[in-house]
Amino acid sequence: MRITCPLCGERDRREFYYVGDAVALNRPDPDAGDVVWDDYVHNRDNPAGVTRDLWYHESGCASWIVVTRNTVTHEVLETAMASDVKEATS
């Protein structure tokens, strides 16, 4: 699988570290309560199809990247800097 880093260009996926669902960008407020934090930390969907995942460009520029991809076909549909995605959703 090839992933396009917004800063470095197209790279082999072995340069990246998979972190998980990009929901991690939507962290609850510190005082949100135990139920909200438990859900945020432990519960994730595992869909077959299009997902938005958080990846770290570990062997490259050290950027955090949101990768929109199809988990069935492994096709990468879009990549973006995590900071830009977070700004857009805030």
Side-chain angles (χ1 to χ4, degrees):
M1 184 167 71
R2 307 283 291 172
I3 296 174
T4 301
C5 172
L7 299 178
C8 303
E10 188 176 289
R11 299 289 193 261
D12 188 273
R13 74 111 351 291
R14 290 174 289 187
E15 286 191 17
F16 298 86
Y17 178 78
Y18 174 78
V19 180
D21 190 337
V23 71
L25 296 174
N26 302 321
R27 200 178 168 117
D29 290 326
D31 59 349
D34 293 342
V35 172
V36 172
W37 274 100
D38 181 59
D39 184 56
Y40 171 77
V41 171
H42 299 290
N43 296 321
R44 296 285 185 269
D45 292 331
N46 189 18
V50 177
T51 65
R52 292 180 70 194
D53 304 319
L54 190 58
W55 293 70
Y56 177 64
H57 197 177
E58 183 175 41
S59 296
C61 63
S63 293
W64 291 92
I65 301 168
V66 174
V67 177
T68 304
R69 66 187 181 99
N70 187 317
T71 60
V72 175
T73 64
H74 300 291
E75 178 185 10
V76 174
L77 305 169
E78 180 181 47
T79 59
M81 298 295 291
S83 57
D84 294 342
V85 172
K86 185 163 175 61
E87 273 182 25
T89 61
S90 296

